[in-house]
Amino acid sequence: MNAESAPRRNLTKYFNFWNFVKYGSLLLLLVFLVYPFFSVIIHSFLDSDGGFTLASYKTFFTKPYYYRTLWNSLATSGLSTIFAVLLGVPLAYITTRFNVYWKKCINMLIIMSLMSPPFIGAYSWIMLLGRNGLITNLFAKMGITTPPIYGFGGIVLVFTLKFFPYVYLYVSGAMSSIDRSLEEAAENLGSSKLKRVLTITMPVIMPTLAAGAIMVFMSSLADFGTPMLIGEGYKVLPVLVYEEYMSEMGGNANMAGALSVVIICCSTAVLLIQKYVVARKNYVMTALRPPIVEQLTKGKRILLTALCMLVAVIAFLPQIVVIVTSFIKTNGPIFVQGFGLESYEKIFYKLSKNITNTFLFAIIAIVIIIVFGMLLSYLVVKKKSKISSALDLLLMFPYVIPGAVLGISMLVAFNKKPLMLSGTAIIMIIAYVIRKMPYTIRSSSALLYQIDPSIEEASINLGVSPMKTFFKITARMMAPGVLSGAILSWITTINELSSSIMLYSGKTATISVAIYTEVVRSSFGTAAALASILTVTTILSLLLFNWVSKGKVSVI
Amino acid sequence: MSHSVKICNVVKRYDDFVAVNDISCEIKQGEFFTLLGPSGCGKTTLLRMIAGFNTIDGGKIYFDDKVINNIEAYKRDIGMVFQNYAIFPHMTVFDNVAYGLKARKVPKSEIEPRVLKALDLVQIMNLKDRKPSELSGGQQQRVALARAIVIKPGVLLMDEPLSNLDAKLRVQMRTIIRKLQRDLNITTIYVTHDQEEALAISDRIAIINSGRIMQVDTPATIYKKPQNTFVAGFIGTSNFMDGKIEQIGPDGVARIKLDAGFEFSIKLKKKYEGRVKISVRPEQFIMNDSGESGLPGEIQMYTFLGDFANYEVKLKNGQIIQANEYTKDIDFVREIGHKVNLGFNPEKVSIFNEEGTEVLS
């Protein structure tokens, strides 16, 4: 009897701290993630008097104004995914298998275009190809009319250029981790080069390629800023969610709720496909001998380099455009000849609150993300239990949720006492933490999996209690992973638009919200100056990330 | 002074699976005790129960007279060497070894000389400022050893510490470990699946299979007097042959007839009737070209190994037997197809009951 009950008592003492973390974070997630979602789902089944109804769904599926947005969303996301694959795969093949020049530079440009503020692409392409765009005007002078950038075509163009880096980065990772012997074996068995690529290389990287394509699809589906700016009359789901909610302000978010449920269903379906169909076929490989990089003749080498650079530069172009235009002299909202700092003067005079808000909220959010991210990834990886796997699932859920939907759910849930949070800075910070924590958790977990459990046991064995061991040994060893993840969380937080636009009030507006409102007011100069601040911060943070992670942690 | 360890009816269950099934044994103070068994037999589970990383589901473990079941792992005062060394990668060699001393709040002035002495004992004083990533496997192993002994632990536990080293280094390290253990007189429990290593290094060995102890004895006794067919088969090579007791006299002398066609008499320690299993080591056979007393057979295959030659001999009942012959005794090699006669000394071989669970001779 004694021997049976005693170890159990011991065990509770042993894991006390972790139990606290476990149940504490479960409670927080239930309150700030699960509860809001249920609120939205419930709201979608309510009429304006609070009774049960399917009216919202009926309206959605019968009225073209509504159901067309679903089709539009799927069409733009689907087509962008196809283009992203067509662009990303050959580019990845070229940079991993041939000795093109400036590989690092090409990679960095592509990573930067992925991590750029979400709507900068749309904004810049309007600056170039819009009604009064640089290129449009240039061609107009020559008497050529360029096709309009607004609507379907523009959305697909921007999505493709912004999200193809997912395909590129995933595939080039897989390409360089195929062991040389695999292709050598195929060659040895008498298959030609093309046949080798089609029968060995492509099938092996297929799961990774699919994972990249799904990231493109999901990101496009969730993106709000791009279609909002460049779509004009062409509406996609997240835009409709925003408009519906704004027009229902003060009332019930019933229709917006129903739309949110539709989006969540779509992205969950895609994610499940990824998890159960694609991920199953994954081939785990650690390249002992990376594939041969083919040495090209000088002419071919220059040609391929130029091709890669062209794609990378076009993808990066929006950020150059933004920075350049931020220095163009303006007269009110209109650009005039010559360069100057008026735009910056204006934003520091008018919009300095947005800048401080952005960095203040982001810093607070990151501190919370680092603390929770570290503890939670440890729980999920090292203290496996039913609750910790439930936590894992819940924590990854925000990946699936578009920011606009998260924003609405939080508004619906926290617009009444006892948790009256709408309009406060707190609600924005909470949204950032929930939405951006997965980056930190994923990168810390990746590192934790590599830490052998016996390292901790060695410390405990030498007389250091488990909790002290966590801080003295494990936390130290996790640090690079946590830090790299935190930088990614940071970059995506300062650039966050879709949830901010739902949650901000006059006092809590951030830079990205200000960019959006300035663009809507056609004040392109100030918008460019604000966007430049974000872009430069992002680039500096990415450089820091590269330095911290030493290439061991991937941005995706 | 290190502890003696007493393990009493210890049990470990994982759901329906019993990993450690009612194990009892005593390890004397200063003894080098090895847990030997195939992978998955429960030896590492038992070691981790002693270390405090696995809970004890039944029974008790004592250090001297103190039950340690409820003492937390970090208070047990045990030194442990892990299979993959578990060196803290962010600390220098010196800091790794000093870690346990700092945790014990040993005065600063004492830490340095003790660490240096430990490093000296394992002959890596020159590496004290290196980072673990700059060390070879063998060097990391020495750091792990120094880190475990510097705290003067009550018990030293080693979990397959040599399995990641190459063959030559393994032999070198095991000599260092053995010498160190003797000089410091630390009670040591050592887990391995390598029988040669166990025989070479241990004072006593516990052979474990499916969570149970099969035999606890000195290396020589384990080899020469296995208590059951598992031990006989696990340690070294054994040829098992079936037979039957034809008759047994009042003096205990039994007449045993082997199925392969040979009869012999032997005095049994226990009264037993019916079928038996005998186990003969390859080197116990005496090989003749012809003769009456022995098993007739035909050579199927031979392997010349320098100091001895190994033969596969097919017996009359179709069974294939391994037999060795020292090359110093003969100046020719027996060719495939040769008829031979295999004799043996009944006093030296092991005779078991039919199930192989009990030794009779």
Side-chain angles (χ1 to χ4, degrees), chain A residues 142-165:
Chain A
M142 292 188 280
I144 306 165
T145 339
T146 47
I149 183 82
Y150 304 96
F152 179 75
I155 296 175
V156 172
L157 171 79
V158 176
F159 278 172
T160 306
L161 287 176
K162 172 141 176 67
F163 297 127
F164 91 87

mmCIF file of all heavy atoms in Angstrom, chain A residues 142-165:
data_model
loop_
_atom_site.group_PDB
_atom_site.id
_atom_site.type_symbol
_atom_site.label_atom_id
_atom_site.label_comp_id
_atom_site.label_asym_id
_atom_site.label_seq_id
_atom_site.Cartn_x
_atom_site.Cartn_y
_atom_site.Cartn_z
ATOM 1 N N MET A 142 3.489 56.613 -74.715
ATOM 2 C CA MET A 142 3.855 56.001 -75.985
ATOM 3 C C MET A 142 2.623 55.561 -76.745
ATOM 4 O O MET A 142 2.729 54.959 -77.818
ATOM 5 C CB MET A 142 4.758 54.789 -75.729
ATOM 6 C CG MET A 142 6.126 55.172 -75.168
ATOM 7 S SD MET A 142 7.242 53.780 -75.085
ATOM 8 C CE MET A 142 6.699 52.977 -73.614
ATOM 9 N N GLY A 143 1.466 55.794 -76.154
ATOM 10 C CA GLY A 143 0.238 55.452 -76.840
ATOM 11 C C GLY A 143 -0.236 54.028 -76.622
ATOM 12 O O GLY A 143 -1.082 53.526 -77.356
ATOM 13 N N ILE A 144 0.342 53.354 -75.649
ATOM 14 C CA ILE A 144 -0.080 51.971 -75.394
ATOM 15 C C ILE A 144 -0.940 51.955 -74.128
ATOM 16 O O ILE A 144 -0.571 52.535 -73.108
ATOM 17 C CB ILE A 144 1.140 51.047 -75.165
ATOM 18 C CG1 ILE A 144 2.111 51.179 -76.348
ATOM 19 C CG2 ILE A 144 0.700 49.602 -74.968
ATOM 20 C CD1 ILE A 144 3.477 50.602 -76.074
ATOM 21 N N THR A 145 -2.074 51.271 -74.171
ATOM 22 C CA THR A 145 -2.901 51.140 -72.975
ATOM 23 C C THR A 145 -2.572 49.807 -72.299
ATOM 24 O O THR A 145 -2.641 48.754 -72.930
ATOM 25 C CB THR A 145 -4.405 51.144 -73.320
ATOM 26 O OG1 THR A 145 -4.549 51.744 -74.606
ATOM 27 C CG2 THR A 145 -5.208 51.880 -72.287
ATOM 28 N N THR A 146 -2.170 49.879 -71.028
ATOM 29 C CA THR A 146 -1.885 48.646 -70.294
ATOM 30 C C THR A 146 -3.198 48.102 -69.753
ATOM 31 O O THR A 146 -4.110 48.863 -69.451
ATOM 32 C CB THR A 146 -0.928 48.920 -69.121
ATOM 33 O OG1 THR A 146 -1.407 50.065 -68.425
ATOM 34 C CG2 THR A 146 0.472 49.163 -69.605
ATOM 35 N N PRO A 147 -3.264 46.761 -69.606
ATOM 36 C CA PRO A 147 -4.490 46.173 -69.043
ATOM 37 C C PRO A 147 -4.646 46.629 -67.583
ATOM 38 O O PRO A 147 -3.640 46.828 -66.895
ATOM 39 C CB PRO A 147 -4.240 44.664 -69.136
ATOM 40 C CG PRO A 147 -2.761 44.520 -69.238
ATOM 41 C CD PRO A 147 -2.260 45.749 -69.919
ATOM 42 N N PRO A 148 -5.888 46.799 -67.115
ATOM 43 C CA PRO A 148 -6.075 47.279 -65.740
ATOM 44 C C PRO A 148 -5.562 46.255 -64.722
ATOM 45 O O PRO A 148 -5.683 45.045 -64.933
ATOM 46 C CB PRO A 148 -7.586 47.459 -65.640
ATOM 47 C CG PRO A 148 -8.156 46.578 -66.692
ATOM 48 C CD PRO A 148 -7.145 46.548 -67.799
ATOM 49 N N ILE A 149 -4.987 46.782 -63.639
ATOM 50 C CA ILE A 149 -4.413 45.919 -62.615
ATOM 51 C C ILE A 149 -5.462 45.525 -61.578
ATOM 52 O O ILE A 149 -5.306 44.559 -60.862
ATOM 53 C CB ILE A 149 -3.224 46.662 -61.945
ATOM 54 C CG1 ILE A 149 -2.518 45.784 -60.912
ATOM 55 C CG2 ILE A 149 -3.690 47.930 -61.259
ATOM 56 C CD1 ILE A 149 -1.552 44.856 -61.506
ATOM 57 N N TYR A 150 -6.557 46.272 -61.526
ATOM 58 C CA TYR A 150 -7.542 46.035 -60.467
ATOM 59 C C TYR A 150 -8.344 44.777 -60.737
ATOM 60 O O TYR A 150 -8.518 44.361 -61.875
ATOM 61 C CB TYR A 150 -8.473 47.245 -60.342
ATOM 62 C CG TYR A 150 -7.702 48.516 -60.110
ATOM 63 C CD1 TYR A 150 -7.375 49.354 -61.174
ATOM 64 C CD2 TYR A 150 -7.268 48.846 -58.833
ATOM 65 C CE1 TYR A 150 -6.647 50.507 -60.969
ATOM 66 C CE2 TYR A 150 -6.538 49.997 -58.612
ATOM 67 C CZ TYR A 150 -6.224 50.829 -59.691
ATOM 68 O OH TYR A 150 -5.494 51.952 -59.481
ATOM 69 N N GLY A 151 -8.829 44.170 -59.649
ATOM 70 C CA GLY A 151 -9.683 43.000 -59.785
ATOM 71 C C GLY A 151 -8.915 41.698 -59.802
ATOM 72 O O GLY A 151 -7.802 41.598 -59.274
ATOM 73 N N PHE A 152 -9.523 40.697 -60.452
ATOM 74 C CA PHE A 152 -9.026 39.332 -60.442
ATOM 75 C C PHE A 152 -7.536 39.223 -60.788
ATOM 76 O O PHE A 152 -6.737 38.665 -60.039
ATOM 77 C CB PHE A 152 -9.861 38.509 -61.418
ATOM 78 C CG PHE A 152 -9.445 37.076 -61.523
ATOM 79 C CD1 PHE A 152 -9.755 36.185 -60.511
ATOM 80 C CD2 PHE A 152 -8.732 36.624 -62.621
ATOM 81 C CE1 PHE A 152 -9.361 34.866 -60.603
ATOM 82 C CE2 PHE A 152 -8.336 35.297 -62.716
ATOM 83 C CZ PHE A 152 -8.657 34.424 -61.697
ATOM 84 N N GLY A 153 -7.156 39.804 -61.957
ATOM 85 C CA GLY A 153 -5.780 39.670 -62.432
ATOM 86 C C GLY A 153 -4.779 40.225 -61.434
ATOM 87 O O GLY A 153 -3.752 39.600 -61.155
ATOM 88 N N GLY A 154 -5.076 41.401 -60.899
ATOM 89 C CA GLY A 154 -4.167 42.030 -59.955
ATOM 90 C C GLY A 154 -3.993 41.198 -58.695
ATOM 91 O O GLY A 154 -2.871 41.028 -58.197
ATOM 92 N N ILE A 155 -5.094 40.678 -58.185
ATOM 93 C CA ILE A 155 -5.017 39.867 -56.962
ATOM 94 C C ILE A 155 -4.118 38.661 -57.199
ATOM 95 O O ILE A 155 -3.216 38.358 -56.407
ATOM 96 C CB ILE A 155 -6.424 39.411 -56.516
ATOM 97 C CG1 ILE A 155 -7.281 40.624 -56.142
ATOM 98 C CG2 ILE A 155 -6.328 38.463 -55.327
ATOM 99 C CD1 ILE A 155 -8.717 40.287 -55.802
ATOM 100 N N VAL A 156 -4.345 37.975 -58.335
ATOM 101 C CA VAL A 156 -3.549 36.776 -58.631
ATOM 102 C C VAL A 156 -2.071 37.145 -58.792
ATOM 103 O O VAL A 156 -1.189 36.461 -58.263
ATOM 104 C CB VAL A 156 -4.077 36.057 -59.888
ATOM 105 C CG1 VAL A 156 -3.135 34.928 -60.298
ATOM 106 C CG2 VAL A 156 -5.465 35.503 -59.631
ATOM 107 N N LEU A 157 -1.806 38.259 -59.489
ATOM 108 C CA LEU A 157 -0.416 38.686 -59.675
ATOM 109 C C LEU A 157 0.263 38.903 -58.325
ATOM 110 O O LEU A 157 1.356 38.391 -58.068
ATOM 111 C CB LEU A 157 -0.384 39.994 -60.492
ATOM 112 C CG LEU A 157 0.981 40.667 -60.579
ATOM 113 C CD1 LEU A 157 1.849 39.969 -61.612
ATOM 114 C CD2 LEU A 157 0.870 42.161 -60.901
ATOM 115 N N VAL A 158 -0.403 39.661 -57.457
ATOM 116 C CA VAL A 158 0.213 39.985 -56.173
ATOM 117 C C VAL A 158 0.366 38.749 -55.302
ATOM 118 O O VAL A 158 1.418 38.514 -54.699
ATOM 119 C CB VAL A 158 -0.594 41.081 -55.451
ATOM 120 C CG1 VAL A 158 -0.009 41.345 -54.078
ATOM 121 C CG2 VAL A 158 -0.597 42.351 -56.278
ATOM 122 N N PHE A 159 -0.686 37.926 -55.232
ATOM 123 C CA PHE A 159 -0.601 36.690 -54.436
ATOM 124 C C PHE A 159 0.542 35.805 -54.931
ATOM 125 O O PHE A 159 1.319 35.275 -54.144
ATOM 126 C CB PHE A 159 -1.905 35.888 -54.550
ATOM 127 C CG PHE A 159 -3.000 36.371 -53.632
ATOM 128 C CD1 PHE A 159 -4.286 35.865 -53.734
ATOM 129 C CD2 PHE A 159 -2.731 37.314 -52.642
ATOM 130 C CE1 PHE A 159 -5.301 36.298 -52.887
ATOM 131 C CE2 PHE A 159 -3.742 37.745 -51.791
ATOM 132 C CZ PHE A 159 -5.023 37.243 -51.921
ATOM 133 N N THR A 160 0.633 35.647 -56.247
ATOM 134 C CA THR A 160 1.666 34.773 -56.798
ATOM 135 C C THR A 160 3.050 35.271 -56.392
ATOM 136 O O THR A 160 3.875 34.506 -55.882
ATOM 137 C CB THR A 160 1.574 34.730 -58.338
ATOM 138 O OG1 THR A 160 0.254 34.366 -58.697
ATOM 139 C CG2 THR A 160 2.556 33.737 -58.909
ATOM 140 N N LEU A 161 3.278 36.565 -56.604
ATOM 141 C CA LEU A 161 4.614 37.092 -56.319
ATOM 142 C C LEU A 161 4.907 37.107 -54.823
ATOM 143 O O LEU A 161 6.040 36.950 -54.406
ATOM 144 C CB LEU A 161 4.739 38.512 -56.890
ATOM 145 C CG LEU A 161 4.841 38.568 -58.405
ATOM 146 C CD1 LEU A 161 4.852 39.998 -58.885
ATOM 147 C CD2 LEU A 161 6.095 37.832 -58.886
ATOM 148 N N LYS A 162 3.874 37.281 -54.019
ATOM 149 C CA LYS A 162 4.126 37.349 -52.584
ATOM 150 C C LYS A 162 4.315 35.962 -51.986
ATOM 151 O O LYS A 162 5.114 35.774 -51.079
ATOM 152 C CB LYS A 162 2.970 38.052 -51.881
ATOM 153 C CG LYS A 162 3.079 37.986 -50.380
ATOM 154 C CD LYS A 162 2.658 39.249 -49.701
ATOM 155 C CE LYS A 162 2.710 39.075 -48.213
ATOM 156 N NZ LYS A 162 4.047 38.897 -47.683
ATOM 157 N N PHE A 163 3.553 34.974 -52.474
ATOM 158 C CA PHE A 163 3.552 33.677 -51.785
ATOM 159 C C PHE A 163 4.348 32.587 -52.476
ATOM 160 O O PHE A 163 4.552 31.530 -51.902
ATOM 161 C CB PHE A 163 2.109 33.213 -51.552
ATOM 162 C CG PHE A 163 1.323 34.122 -50.654
ATOM 163 C CD1 PHE A 163 0.093 34.632 -51.044
ATOM 164 C CD2 PHE A 163 1.819 34.476 -49.400
ATOM 165 C CE1 PHE A 163 -0.623 35.482 -50.213
ATOM 166 C CE2 PHE A 163 1.106 35.324 -48.567
ATOM 167 C CZ PHE A 163 -0.121 35.832 -48.971
ATOM 168 N N PHE A 164 4.836 32.837 -53.721
ATOM 169 C CA PHE A 164 5.617 31.757 -54.352
ATOM 170 C C PHE A 164 6.869 31.400 -53.535
ATOM 171 O O PHE A 164 7.351 30.269 -53.619
ATOM 172 C CB PHE A 164 5.976 32.117 -55.815
ATOM 173 C CG PHE A 164 7.284 32.830 -55.972
ATOM 174 C CD1 PHE A 164 8.461 32.101 -56.114
ATOM 175 C CD2 PHE A 164 7.351 34.218 -55.938
ATOM 176 C CE1 PHE A 164 9.677 32.759 -56.242
ATOM 177 C CE2 PHE A 164 8.553 34.864 -56.049
ATOM 178 C CZ PHE A 164 9.730 34.143 -56.192
ATOM 179 N N PRO A 165 7.397 32.345 -52.706
ATOM 180 C CA PRO A 165 8.547 31.959 -51.892
ATOM 181 C C PRO A 165 8.311 30.726 -51.026
ATOM 182 O O PRO A 165 9.232 29.965 -50.757
ATOM 183 C CB PRO A 165 8.779 33.199 -51.017
ATOM 184 C CG PRO A 165 8.331 34.331 -51.856
ATOM 185 C CD PRO A 165 7.132 33.800 -52.595
#
